[in-house]
Protein backbone atom coordinates (compact mmCIF):
# COMPACT_ATOMS: atom_id res chain seq x y z
CA UNK A 1 0.00 0.00 0.00
CA UNK A 2 1.39 3.38 -0.99
CA UNK A 3 1.11 6.53 1.04
CA UNK A 4 1.93 10.23 0.85
CA UNK A 5 3.85 11.86 3.65
CA UNK A 6 4.08 15.58 4.18
CA UNK A 7 4.59 15.25 7.90
CA UNK A 8 3.55 18.84 8.46
CA UNK A 9 6.66 19.97 6.61
CA UNK A 10 4.73 22.27 4.30
CA UNK A 11 4.29 24.79 7.06
CA UNK A 12 7.71 24.33 8.62
CA UNK A 13 9.99 25.13 5.70
CA UNK A 14 10.94 28.54 4.43
CA UNK A 15 9.20 29.32 1.14
CA UNK A 16 11.51 30.53 -1.63
CA UNK A 17 11.61 34.31 -1.33
CA UNK A 18 12.15 34.68 -5.06
CA UNK A 19 9.12 32.65 -6.00
CA UNK A 20 6.93 34.00 -3.19
CA UNK A 21 7.24 37.47 -4.65
CA UNK A 22 6.24 36.03 -8.01
CA UNK A 23 3.26 34.27 -6.46
CA UNK A 24 2.00 37.40 -4.77
CA UNK A 25 2.45 39.49 -7.90
CA UNK A 26 0.14 37.09 -9.71
CA UNK A 27 -2.52 36.92 -7.01
CA UNK A 28 -5.02 38.99 -8.92
CA UNK A 29 -5.47 36.95 -12.07
CA UNK A 30 -9.22 37.47 -12.30
CA UNK A 31 -10.85 34.34 -13.62
CA UNK A 32 -7.48 32.62 -13.93
CA UNK A 33 -5.63 30.62 -11.29
CA UNK A 34 -4.97 32.45 -8.01
CA UNK A 35 -1.40 31.55 -7.09
CA UNK A 36 -1.64 33.28 -3.72
CA UNK A 37 -3.96 30.46 -2.62
CA UNK A 38 -1.65 27.71 -3.84
CA UNK A 39 -1.95 24.46 -1.88
CA UNK A 40 -2.87 20.84 -2.62
CA UNK A 41 -6.42 21.64 -1.52
CA UNK A 42 -6.69 24.64 -3.84
CA UNK A 43 -5.35 22.66 -6.79
CA UNK A 44 -7.96 19.96 -6.19
CA UNK A 45 -10.71 22.58 -5.87
CA UNK A 46 -10.09 24.03 -9.33
CA UNK A 47 -9.37 20.75 -11.17
CA UNK A 48 -12.11 19.87 -13.67
CA UNK A 49 -13.91 23.21 -13.38
CA UNK A 50 -13.45 24.48 -16.95
CA UNK A 51 -13.57 23.03 -20.47
CA UNK A 52 -11.33 24.19 -23.30
CA UNK A 53 -11.55 23.74 -27.07
CA UNK A 54 -7.94 23.64 -28.24
CA UNK A 55 -8.65 23.51 -31.96
CA UNK A 56 -11.06 26.45 -31.78
CA UNK A 57 -8.62 28.49 -29.71
CA UNK A 58 -5.67 27.81 -32.01
CA UNK A 59 -7.78 28.49 -35.12
CA UNK A 60 -7.88 32.11 -33.95
CA UNK A 61 -4.09 32.17 -34.17
CA UNK A 62 -3.52 30.08 -37.30
CA UNK A 63 -6.52 29.01 -39.43
CA UNK A 64 -7.04 25.25 -39.39
CA UNK A 65 -6.88 25.08 -43.19
CA UNK A 66 -3.54 26.92 -43.30
CA UNK A 67 -1.04 25.33 -45.68
CA UNK A 68 2.61 25.44 -44.73
CA UNK A 69 5.73 23.63 -43.56
CA UNK A 70 7.38 23.50 -40.13
CA UNK A 71 10.66 22.07 -38.87
CA UNK A 72 10.61 21.53 -35.11
CA UNK A 73 13.07 20.17 -32.55
CA UNK A 74 12.18 19.18 -29.00
CA UNK A 75 13.36 17.15 -26.04
CA UNK A 76 11.81 13.77 -26.63
CA UNK A 77 10.70 10.91 -24.43
CA UNK A 78 13.56 8.59 -23.73
CA UNK A 79 15.06 6.25 -21.14
CA UNK A 80 13.62 6.75 -17.68
CA UNK A 81 10.29 8.21 -18.84
CA UNK A 82 7.03 6.34 -18.11
CA UNK A 83 5.03 4.66 -20.89
CA UNK A 84 2.12 7.03 -20.26
CA UNK A 85 4.21 10.01 -21.31
CA UNK A 86 5.27 8.21 -24.48
CA UNK A 87 1.62 7.74 -25.37
CA UNK A 88 0.77 11.40 -24.90
CA UNK A 89 3.70 12.53 -27.02
CA UNK A 90 2.54 10.22 -29.80
CA UNK A 91 -1.02 11.49 -29.39
CA UNK A 92 0.08 15.12 -29.54
CA UNK A 93 1.77 14.90 -32.91
CA UNK A 94 -1.08 12.79 -34.31
CA UNK A 95 -3.57 15.39 -33.09
CA UNK A 96 -1.54 18.28 -34.51
CA UNK A 97 -1.47 16.63 -37.94
CA UNK A 98 -5.21 15.97 -37.75
CA UNK A 99 -5.96 19.53 -36.63
CA UNK A 100 -3.63 21.09 -39.20
CA UNK A 101 -3.65 18.56 -42.08
CA UNK A 102 -2.08 21.02 -44.51
CA UNK A 103 0.99 21.80 -42.39
CA UNK A 104 3.91 19.57 -43.30
CA UNK A 105 5.50 18.92 -39.91
CA UNK A 106 9.07 17.65 -39.69
CA UNK A 107 9.82 17.05 -36.02
CA UNK A 108 13.00 15.73 -34.44
CA UNK A 109 13.30 14.43 -30.88
CA UNK A 110 16.61 14.84 -29.05
CA UNK A 111 17.75 13.87 -25.57
CA UNK A 112 18.03 16.50 -22.84
CA UNK A 113 21.82 16.21 -22.83
CA UNK A 114 22.14 16.44 -26.64
CA UNK A 115 19.58 19.13 -27.43
CA UNK A 116 21.51 22.25 -26.44
CA UNK A 117 24.78 21.15 -28.05
CA UNK A 118 23.18 20.10 -31.34
CA UNK A 119 21.09 23.26 -31.43
CA UNK A 120 24.19 25.42 -30.94
CA UNK A 121 25.95 23.59 -33.77
CA UNK A 122 22.95 23.98 -36.08
CA UNK A 123 22.80 27.71 -35.37
CA UNK A 124 26.45 28.18 -36.28
CA UNK A 125 25.75 26.50 -39.63
CA UNK A 126 22.50 28.41 -40.24
CA UNK A 127 20.76 25.02 -40.20
CA UNK A 128 18.48 25.34 -37.19
CA UNK A 129 14.79 24.36 -37.12
CA UNK A 130 12.09 27.02 -37.47
CA UNK A 131 10.87 26.36 -33.92
CA UNK A 132 12.35 24.58 -30.94
CA UNK A 133 11.25 23.51 -27.49
CA UNK A 134 14.20 23.96 -25.13
CA UNK A 135 14.78 23.27 -21.47
CA UNK A 136 14.31 26.33 -19.27
CA UNK A 137 18.07 27.00 -19.22
CA UNK A 138 18.26 27.73 -22.93
CA UNK A 139 16.05 30.76 -23.50
CA UNK A 140 18.22 33.60 -22.27
CA UNK A 141 21.37 32.14 -23.83
CA UNK A 142 19.95 32.16 -27.35
CA UNK A 143 17.88 35.31 -26.96
CA UNK A 144 20.95 37.25 -25.82
CA UNK A 145 22.84 36.14 -28.92
CA UNK A 146 20.09 37.31 -31.25
CA UNK A 147 18.96 33.91 -32.54
CA UNK A 148 15.33 34.08 -31.40
CA UNK A 149 12.36 36.13 -32.57
CA UNK A 150 10.33 37.96 -29.92
CA UNK A 151 7.45 35.73 -28.88
CA UNK A 152 5.01 36.33 -26.03
CA UNK A 153 1.86 34.44 -24.94
CA UNK A 154 -0.39 37.08 -26.51
CA UNK A 155 1.13 36.19 -29.91
CA UNK A 156 -0.41 32.73 -29.74
CA UNK A 157 -3.74 33.58 -28.13
CA UNK A 158 -2.92 33.50 -24.42
CA UNK A 159 -2.22 36.07 -21.71
CA UNK A 160 1.08 36.47 -19.90
CA UNK A 161 -0.84 36.06 -16.64
CA UNK A 162 -1.79 32.55 -17.77
CA UNK A 163 1.77 31.45 -16.94
CA UNK A 164 3.95 31.29 -13.83
CA UNK A 165 5.75 34.62 -13.29
CA UNK A 166 8.98 32.72 -12.62
CA UNK A 167 8.58 30.88 -15.92
CA UNK A 168 8.09 34.12 -17.84
CA UNK A 169 11.26 35.46 -16.25
CA UNK A 170 13.18 32.58 -17.85
CA UNK A 171 12.04 33.60 -21.36
CA UNK A 172 12.69 37.32 -20.93
CA UNK A 173 15.91 39.06 -21.94
CA UNK A 174 16.44 42.80 -21.56
CA UNK A 175 12.71 43.36 -21.18
CA UNK A 176 11.66 41.41 -24.28
CA UNK A 177 9.88 38.04 -24.18
CA UNK A 178 11.29 35.36 -26.47
CA UNK A 179 9.30 32.23 -25.71
CA UNK A 180 6.28 30.46 -24.26
CA UNK A 181 6.49 28.14 -21.21
CA UNK A 182 5.09 24.69 -21.98
CA UNK A 183 5.57 23.06 -18.59
CA UNK A 184 7.01 23.84 -15.16
CA UNK A 185 8.03 21.47 -12.45
CA UNK A 186 9.48 20.85 -9.06
CA UNK A 187 10.69 17.57 -7.62
CA UNK A 188 10.28 15.87 -4.27
CA UNK A 189 12.21 13.56 -1.94
CA UNK A 190 11.61 9.82 -2.34
CA UNK A 191 12.48 7.06 0.10
CA UNK A 192 11.91 3.34 0.71
CA UNK A 193 10.05 2.95 4.01
CA UNK A 194 11.01 -0.73 4.35
CA UNK A 195 14.71 0.08 4.09
CA UNK A 196 14.28 2.86 6.64
CA UNK A 197 12.63 0.45 9.07
CA UNK A 198 15.30 -2.22 8.64
CA UNK A 199 18.01 0.40 9.16
CA UNK A 200 16.42 1.59 12.42
CA UNK A 201 14.92 4.80 11.00
CA UNK A 202 11.34 6.05 11.18
CA UNK A 203 9.77 4.59 8.02
CA UNK A 204 7.12 7.29 7.78
CA UNK A 205 9.32 10.38 7.95
CA UNK A 206 11.67 11.80 5.37
CA UNK A 207 14.97 13.30 6.57
CA UNK A 208 14.15 16.75 7.91
CA UNK A 209 17.44 18.34 6.82
CA UNK A 210 20.23 17.67 4.35
CA UNK A 211 22.49 16.94 7.32
CA UNK A 212 20.00 14.19 8.17
CA UNK A 213 20.30 12.86 4.61
CA UNK A 214 24.04 12.46 5.18
CA UNK A 215 23.42 10.69 8.52
CA UNK A 216 20.63 8.46 7.17
CA UNK A 217 22.67 7.53 4.11
CA UNK A 218 25.57 6.40 6.32
CA UNK A 219 23.32 4.50 8.71
CA UNK A 220 21.62 2.65 5.87
CA UNK A 221 24.91 1.76 4.23
CA UNK A 222 26.56 0.66 7.47
CA UNK A 223 23.64 -1.49 8.62
CA UNK A 224 22.38 -2.93 5.34
CA UNK A 225 25.34 -2.70 2.98
CA UNK A 226 23.40 -0.82 0.29
CA UNK A 227 23.50 2.74 -1.02
CA UNK A 228 21.67 5.32 1.04
CA UNK A 229 21.21 8.43 -1.10
CA UNK A 230 21.10 8.49 -4.91
CA UNK A 231 23.75 11.14 -5.52
CA UNK A 232 23.99 12.32 -9.14
CA UNK A 233 27.20 14.05 -10.25
CA UNK A 234 27.48 13.37 -13.97
CA UNK A 235 29.11 15.99 -16.17
CA UNK A 236 27.10 17.84 -18.83
CA UNK A 237 23.85 16.34 -17.61
CA UNK A 238 20.82 18.31 -16.44
CA UNK A 239 20.11 15.75 -13.73
CA UNK A 240 23.11 17.00 -11.74
CA UNK A 241 22.19 20.67 -11.12
CA UNK A 242 18.53 19.76 -10.64
CA UNK A 243 19.55 17.63 -7.67
CA UNK A 244 22.55 19.52 -6.30
CA UNK A 245 21.22 23.08 -6.49
CA UNK A 246 18.36 22.45 -3.99
CA UNK A 247 21.03 21.22 -1.59
CA UNK A 248 23.24 24.25 -2.28
CA UNK A 249 20.38 26.72 -1.82
CA UNK A 250 19.15 24.99 1.34
CA UNK A 251 22.53 25.48 2.98
CA UNK A 252 22.28 29.17 2.11
CA UNK A 253 24.63 29.08 -0.86
CA UNK A 254 24.16 29.85 -4.52
CA UNK A 255 25.94 30.55 -7.77
CA UNK A 256 24.92 34.18 -7.35
CA UNK A 257 22.08 35.64 -5.29
CA UNK A 258 19.45 33.83 -7.41
CA UNK A 259 17.61 32.62 -4.32
CA UNK A 260 16.76 36.16 -3.21
CA UNK A 261 13.63 38.15 -4.04
CA UNK A 262 15.38 40.53 -6.44
CA UNK A 263 18.58 38.90 -7.65
CA UNK A 264 21.24 41.07 -9.28
CA UNK A 265 23.66 38.26 -10.26
CA UNK A 266 26.54 40.60 -9.46
CA UNK A 267 28.28 38.65 -6.70
CA UNK A 268 29.48 35.07 -7.22
CA UNK A 269 28.70 32.98 -4.15
CA UNK A 270 29.89 29.50 -5.13
CA UNK A 271 32.88 29.95 -2.84
CA UNK A 272 30.88 31.15 0.16
CA UNK A 273 31.03 29.21 3.42
CA UNK A 274 27.43 28.08 2.86
CA UNK A 275 28.14 26.79 -0.64
CA UNK A 276 31.19 24.93 0.62
CA UNK A 277 29.09 23.34 3.38
CA UNK A 278 26.70 21.97 0.76
CA UNK A 279 29.59 20.58 -1.28
CA UNK A 280 31.08 19.09 1.88
CA UNK A 281 27.85 17.17 2.47
CA UNK A 282 28.18 15.48 -0.93
CA UNK A 283 31.87 14.81 -0.26
CA UNK A 284 31.03 13.22 3.08
CA UNK A 285 28.53 10.84 1.49
CA UNK A 286 30.70 9.87 -1.48
CA UNK A 287 34.24 9.89 -0.08
CA UNK A 288 34.10 9.69 3.71
CA UNK A 289 31.09 7.42 4.22
CA UNK A 290 30.95 5.70 0.83
CA UNK A 291 27.19 5.63 1.35
CA UNK A 292 26.10 6.50 -2.20
CA UNK A 293 26.49 4.54 -5.45
CA UNK A 294 30.11 4.33 -6.60
CA UNK A 295 28.75 5.10 -10.07
CA UNK A 296 27.38 8.49 -8.92
CA UNK A 297 30.05 10.29 -10.97
CA UNK A 298 28.51 8.95 -14.18
CA UNK A 299 24.95 8.31 -13.03
CA UNK A 300 21.80 10.02 -14.26
CA UNK A 301 18.45 9.60 -12.53
CA UNK A 302 17.66 6.82 -15.02
CA UNK A 303 20.53 4.87 -13.41
CA UNK A 304 19.12 5.37 -9.92
CA UNK A 305 15.68 4.05 -10.84
CA UNK A 306 16.60 0.36 -11.31
CA UNK A 307 18.75 0.49 -8.17
CA UNK A 308 15.78 1.81 -6.21
CA UNK A 309 13.45 -0.83 -7.63
CA UNK A 310 15.94 -3.58 -6.74
CA UNK A 311 16.02 -2.39 -3.14
CA UNK A 312 19.67 -1.33 -3.46
CA UNK A 313 19.02 2.40 -3.02
CA UNK A 314 17.03 4.02 -0.22
CA UNK A 315 16.62 7.72 -1.12
CA UNK A 316 16.56 9.96 -4.19
CA UNK A 317 15.21 13.26 -5.51
CA UNK A 318 12.90 13.03 -8.50
CA UNK A 319 9.50 13.54 -10.12
CA UNK A 320 6.11 11.96 -9.36
CA UNK A 321 6.61 10.06 -12.63
CA UNK A 322 9.18 7.86 -10.92
CA UNK A 323 6.32 5.93 -9.34
CA UNK A 324 4.98 5.13 -12.81
CA UNK A 325 8.50 4.30 -13.96
CA UNK A 326 8.75 1.74 -11.15
CA UNK A 327 5.51 0.16 -12.31
CA UNK A 328 6.81 0.04 -15.89
CA UNK A 329 10.13 -1.47 -14.81
CA UNK A 330 8.37 -4.05 -12.67
CA UNK A 331 6.52 -5.34 -15.73
CA UNK A 332 9.88 -6.39 -17.16
CA UNK A 333 10.81 -8.48 -14.10
CA UNK A 334 9.97 -12.13 -13.46
CA UNK A 335 9.75 -14.57 -10.55
CA UNK A 336 11.12 -13.47 -7.21
CA UNK A 337 12.42 -10.23 -8.74
CA UNK A 338 8.84 -9.20 -9.49
CA UNK A 339 7.84 -9.85 -5.86
CA UNK A 340 10.83 -7.87 -4.58
CA UNK A 341 9.94 -5.01 -6.90
CA UNK A 342 6.37 -5.00 -5.60
CA UNK A 343 7.67 -4.72 -2.05
CA UNK A 344 9.68 -1.65 -3.05
CA UNK A 345 6.68 -0.08 -4.81
CA UNK A 346 4.48 -0.72 -1.77
CA UNK A 347 7.06 1.05 0.41
CA UNK A 348 7.73 3.98 -1.88
CA UNK A 349 7.16 7.29 -0.10
CA UNK A 350 7.29 10.94 -1.21
CA UNK A 351 7.94 13.97 0.98
CA UNK A 352 9.17 17.55 0.73
CA UNK A 353 12.84 18.05 -0.08
CA UNK A 354 14.83 18.51 3.18
CA UNK A 355 15.78 21.91 4.52
CA UNK A 356 19.19 23.33 5.26
CA UNK A 357 20.60 24.03 8.73
CA UNK A 358 18.54 27.23 9.05
CA UNK A 359 15.23 25.82 7.85
CA UNK A 360 15.49 26.93 4.22
CA UNK A 361 13.80 24.60 1.75
CA UNK A 362 14.49 24.90 -1.97
CA UNK A 363 13.96 23.13 -5.26
CA UNK A 364 14.73 23.98 -8.87
CA UNK A 365 11.84 25.65 -10.67
CA UNK A 366 12.30 23.82 -13.94
CA UNK A 367 10.49 23.37 -17.19
CA UNK A 368 10.67 23.96 -20.94
CA UNK A 369 9.78 26.70 -23.42
CA UNK A 370 8.92 26.98 -27.10
CA UNK A 371 10.84 29.49 -29.22
CA UNK A 372 10.71 30.66 -32.85
CA UNK A 373 13.97 31.27 -34.70
CA UNK A 374 15.00 34.21 -36.86
CA UNK A 375 15.03 33.14 -40.54
CA UNK A 376 18.73 33.84 -41.13
CA UNK A 377 19.65 30.99 -38.76
CA UNK A 378 17.20 28.48 -40.20
CA UNK A 379 17.94 25.96 -42.91
CA UNK A 380 16.60 27.45 -46.13
CA UNK A 381 16.50 30.97 -44.69
CA UNK A 382 12.74 31.00 -44.12
CA UNK A 383 10.48 30.62 -41.08
CA UNK A 384 6.83 29.70 -41.49
CA UNK A 385 5.56 31.87 -38.64
CA UNK A 386 1.87 30.81 -38.78
CA UNK A 387 2.89 27.13 -38.67
CA UNK A 388 5.30 27.78 -35.79
CA UNK A 389 2.62 29.67 -33.88
CA UNK A 390 0.18 26.82 -34.48
CA UNK A 391 2.38 24.26 -32.75
CA UNK A 392 3.19 26.77 -30.01
CA UNK A 393 -0.50 27.44 -29.43
CA UNK A 394 -1.35 23.75 -29.26
CA UNK A 395 1.51 22.69 -26.99
CA UNK A 396 0.99 25.64 -24.63
CA UNK A 397 -2.78 25.13 -24.50
CA UNK A 398 -4.45 24.19 -21.20
CA UNK A 399 -5.15 20.73 -22.65
CA UNK A 400 -1.77 19.79 -24.07
CA UNK A 401 0.46 21.62 -21.61
CA UNK A 402 -1.25 19.38 -19.05
CA UNK A 403 -1.18 16.15 -21.05
CA UNK A 404 2.44 16.54 -22.14
CA UNK A 405 3.41 17.08 -18.50
CA UNK A 406 0.98 14.46 -17.23
CA UNK A 407 3.28 12.14 -15.33
CA UNK A 408 6.35 14.15 -14.45
CA UNK A 409 5.77 17.90 -14.57
CA UNK A 410 2.99 20.49 -14.45
CA UNK A 411 1.24 22.53 -17.15
CA UNK A 412 2.99 25.74 -18.14
CA UNK A 413 -0.42 27.25 -18.87
CA UNK A 414 -1.98 27.69 -15.43
CA UNK A 415 -5.43 27.02 -16.88
CA UNK A 416 -4.27 23.45 -17.38
CA UNK A 417 -4.86 22.99 -13.65
CA UNK A 418 -8.57 23.65 -14.30
CA UNK A 419 -9.04 20.92 -16.92
CA UNK A 420 -10.73 17.55 -16.51
CA UNK A 421 -7.36 15.94 -17.22
CA UNK A 422 -5.92 17.57 -14.11
CA UNK A 423 -8.69 16.01 -12.07
CA UNK A 424 -7.96 12.61 -13.60
CA UNK A 425 -4.27 13.17 -12.97
CA UNK A 426 -4.75 13.91 -9.29
CA UNK A 427 -6.81 10.76 -8.91
CA UNK A 428 -4.44 8.49 -10.83
CA UNK A 429 -0.87 9.65 -10.11
CA UNK A 430 0.52 8.84 -6.71
CA UNK A 431 2.31 11.62 -4.84
CA UNK A 432 1.42 14.39 -7.30
CA UNK A 433 0.21 16.52 -4.40
CA UNK A 434 3.68 16.38 -2.83
CA UNK A 435 5.55 17.62 -5.89
CA UNK A 436 3.01 20.36 -6.57
CA UNK A 437 3.40 21.37 -2.90
CA UNK A 438 7.07 22.01 -3.67
CA UNK A 439 6.25 24.66 -6.31
CA UNK A 440 6.22 27.59 -3.83
CA UNK A 441 9.77 26.64 -2.81
CA UNK A 442 10.98 26.72 -6.41
CA UNK A 443 13.95 28.84 -7.45
CA UNK A 444 14.58 29.45 -11.16
CA UNK A 445 18.10 29.08 -12.48
CA UNK A 446 19.79 32.48 -13.00
CA UNK A 447 18.18 34.22 -15.98
CA UNK A 448 21.51 34.67 -17.71
CA UNK A 449 22.86 33.53 -21.09
CA UNK A 450 25.73 31.80 -19.29
CA UNK A 451 23.42 29.63 -17.15
CA UNK A 452 23.60 26.48 -19.32
CA UNK A 453 27.39 26.35 -19.04
CA UNK A 454 27.31 27.21 -15.34
CA UNK A 455 24.72 24.57 -14.46
CA UNK A 456 25.66 21.80 -16.88
CA UNK A 457 29.45 22.19 -16.85
CA UNK A 458 30.87 24.29 -14.00
CA UNK A 459 28.66 22.99 -11.17
CA UNK A 460 29.13 19.30 -12.14
CA UNK A 461 32.88 19.90 -12.57
CA UNK A 462 32.99 21.34 -9.05
CA UNK A 463 31.35 18.18 -7.73
CA UNK A 464 33.65 15.93 -9.73
CA UNK A 465 36.79 17.77 -8.63
CA UNK A 466 35.84 17.40 -4.97
CA UNK A 467 34.52 13.83 -5.11
CA UNK A 468 37.44 12.44 -7.10
CA UNK A 469 40.01 14.08 -4.84
CA UNK A 470 41.39 16.13 -7.71
CA UNK A 471 40.84 19.13 -5.44
CA UNK A 472 39.81 19.66 -1.86
CA UNK A 473 36.27 20.87 -1.20
CA UNK A 474 37.62 24.35 -0.61
CA UNK A 475 39.70 24.31 -3.79
CA UNK A 476 36.86 22.93 -5.90
CA UNK A 477 34.49 25.68 -4.74
CA UNK A 478 37.09 28.41 -5.29
CA UNK A 479 37.89 27.00 -8.74
CA UNK A 480 34.21 26.95 -9.71
CA UNK A 481 33.68 30.50 -8.47
CA UNK A 482 36.67 31.68 -10.51
CA UNK A 483 35.30 29.98 -13.63
CA UNK A 484 31.92 31.68 -13.18
CA UNK A 485 33.60 35.06 -12.69
CA UNK A 486 35.68 34.57 -15.83
CA UNK A 487 32.69 33.36 -17.81
CA UNK A 488 30.50 36.31 -16.83
CA UNK A 489 33.20 39.00 -16.86
CA UNK A 490 31.85 42.01 -18.71
CA UNK A 491 28.54 40.28 -19.28
CA UNK A 492 26.72 41.11 -16.04
Amino acid sequence: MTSTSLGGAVVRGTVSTALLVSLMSASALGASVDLSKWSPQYVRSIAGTQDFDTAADCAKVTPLDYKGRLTFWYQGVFEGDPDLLRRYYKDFFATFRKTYPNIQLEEQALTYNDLLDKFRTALLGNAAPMAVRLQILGGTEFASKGYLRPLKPEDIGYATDDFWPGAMKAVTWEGVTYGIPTNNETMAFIWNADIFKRAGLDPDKAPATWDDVVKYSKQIHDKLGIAGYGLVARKNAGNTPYRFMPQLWAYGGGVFDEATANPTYKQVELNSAQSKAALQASYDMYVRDKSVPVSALTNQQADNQPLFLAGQLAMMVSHPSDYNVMLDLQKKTTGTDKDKAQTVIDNMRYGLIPTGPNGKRAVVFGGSNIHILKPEYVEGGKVDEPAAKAIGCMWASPEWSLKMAYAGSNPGNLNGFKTKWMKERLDSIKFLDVTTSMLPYGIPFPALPQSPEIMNIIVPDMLQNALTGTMTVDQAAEDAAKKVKNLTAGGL
Side-chain angles (χ1 to χ4, degrees), residues 396-412:
S397 67
E399 175 185 359
W400 286 105
S401 68
L402 186 285
K403 287 181 176 179
M404 301 294 267
Y406 198 92
S409 188
N410 289 290

Side-chain angles (χ1 to χ4, degrees), residues 262-290:
N262 297 294
T264 63
Y265 311 127
K266 298 295 185 183
Q267 181 69 37
V268 176
E269 297 182 4
L270 268 179
N271 56 346
S272 69
Q274 294 86 349
S275 294
K276 290 177 181 178
L279 183 58
Q280 183 69 47
S282 293
Y283 176 91
D284 289 346
M285 288 188 282
Y286 188 84
V287 179
R288 185 193 69 187
D289 301 336
K290 296 179 173 57

Side-chain angles (χ1 to χ4, degrees), residues 237-401:
N239 283 182
T240 301
Y242 271 82
R243 283 157 182 80
F244 180 70
M245 292 307 295
Q247 183 177 327
L248 186 74
W249 290 324
Y251 276 92
V255 176
F256 304 99
D257 58 347
E258 66 271 13
T260 63
N262 297 294
T264 63
Y265 311 127
K266 298 295 185 183
Q267 181 69 37
V268 176
E269 297 182 4
L270 268 179
N271 56 346
S272 69
Q274 294 86 349
S275 294
K276 290 177 181 178
L279 183 58
Q280 183 69 47
S282 293
Y283 176 91
D284 289 346
M285 288 188 282
Y286 188 84
V287 179
R288 185 193 69 187
D289 301 336
K290 296 179 173 57
S291 66
V292 300
V294 176
S295 54
L297 297 180
T298 56
N299 274 1
Q300 301 184 88
Q301 178 57 17
D303 300 303
N304 280 334
Q305 290 165 342
L307 289 175
F308 190 88
L309 187 67
Q312 296 300 305
L313 177 66
M315 303 175 287
M316 57 186 183
V317 170
S318 200
H319 302 282
S321 59
D322 272 43
Y323 178 80
N324 294 70
V325 170
M326 296 302 154
L327 295 177
D328 292 341
L329 290 174
Q330 188 202 24
K331 295 175 183 176
K332 302 174 184 177
T333 61
T334 58
T336 57
D337 287 341
K338 183 177 287 290
D339 294 335
K340 291 178 181 177
Q342 187 61 53
T343 298
V344 171
I345 291 170
D346 289 343
N347 283 277
M348 196 172 181
R349 304 288 187 267
Y350 275 63
L352 299 187
I353 289 178
T355 69
N358 296 317
K360 181 178 179 61
R361 194 187 310 280
V363 66
V364 176
F365 188 78
S368 300
N369 310 300
I370 280 182
H371 308 277
I372 298 177
L373 280 291
K374 289 182 178 178
E376 56 264 38
Y377 301 108
V378 172
E379 187 171 9
K382 295 182 180 179
V383 171
D384 190 327
E385 186 173 338
K389 287 183 176 180
I391 202 165
C393 176
M394 184 168 285
W395 200 316
S397 67
E399 175 185 359
W400 286 105
S401 68

Side-chain angles (χ1 to χ4, degrees), residues 115-133:
L115 180 54
L116 287 176
D117 286 341
K118 290 190 175 182
F119 186 56
R120 291 185 187 106
T121 301
L123 287 167
L124 292 175
N126 299 328
M130 299 177 192
V132 63
R133 176 176 174 263

Side-chain angles (χ1 to χ4, degrees), residues 42-229:
Y42 177 71
V43 172
R44 285 189 177 276
S45 74
I46 63 174
T49 59
Q50 189 169 344
D51 294 326
F52 299 89
D53 187 333
T54 303
D57 290 340
C58 291
K60 300 172 185 176
V61 177
T62 301
L64 302 185
D65 60 355
Y66 176 78
K67 186 176 182 179
R69 173 180 172 269
L70 177 66
T71 54
F72 178 61
W73 288 7
Y74 66 101
Q75 179 192 334
V77 183
F78 291 97
E79 180 185 8
D81 289 318
D83 291 341
L84 180 64
L85 190 59
R86 302 173 195 278
R87 190 187 83 199
Y88 274 128
Y89 267 68
K90 182 179 179 180
D91 289 349
F92 172 79
F93 288 108
T95 301
F96 181 83
R97 288 186 166 91
K98 182 178 179 180
T99 305
Y100 286 99
N102 298 318
I103 293 180
Q104 179 187 343
L105 175 63
E106 300 169 19
E107 76 268 28
Q108 182 177 353
L110 297 165
T111 66
Y112 182 100
N113 296 335
D114 289 340
L115 180 54
L116 287 176
D117 286 341
K118 290 190 175 182
F119 186 56
R120 291 185 187 106
T121 301
L123 287 167
L124 292 175
N126 299 328
M130 299 177 192
V132 63
R133 176 176 174 263
L134 294 173
Q135 48 267 60
I136 200 168
L137 275 172
T140 50
E141 174 187 349
F142 300 110
S144 69
K145 294 177 180 178
Y147 294 127
L148 307 179
R149 300 178 69 162
L151 179 68
K152 59 185 183 299
E154 287 75 9
D155 295 330
I156 59 169
Y158 304 115
T160 295
D161 282 346
D162 288 336
F163 299 84
W164 287 94
M168 293 307 304
K169 180 180 178 182
V171 293
T172 301
W173 176 249
E174 294 187 341
V176 179
T177 303
Y178 289 93
I180 313 297
T182 59
N183 61 289
N184 294 108
E185 64 212 33
T186 49
M187 300 187 199
F189 195 85
I190 305 170
W191 75 96
N192 183 320
D194 177 61
I195 291 177
F196 269 41
K197 184 176 181 180
R198 288 189 284 118
L201 299 167
D202 189 332
D204 296 319
K205 289 185 179 180
T209 68
W210 280 103
D211 287 343
D212 287 338
V213 173
V214 176
K215 295 175 185 176
Y216 285 23
S217 190
K218 183 180 188 310
Q219 185 168 328
I220 289 166
H221 178 264
D222 290 350
K223 289 198 172 186
L224 304 179
I226 63 174
Y229 176 60

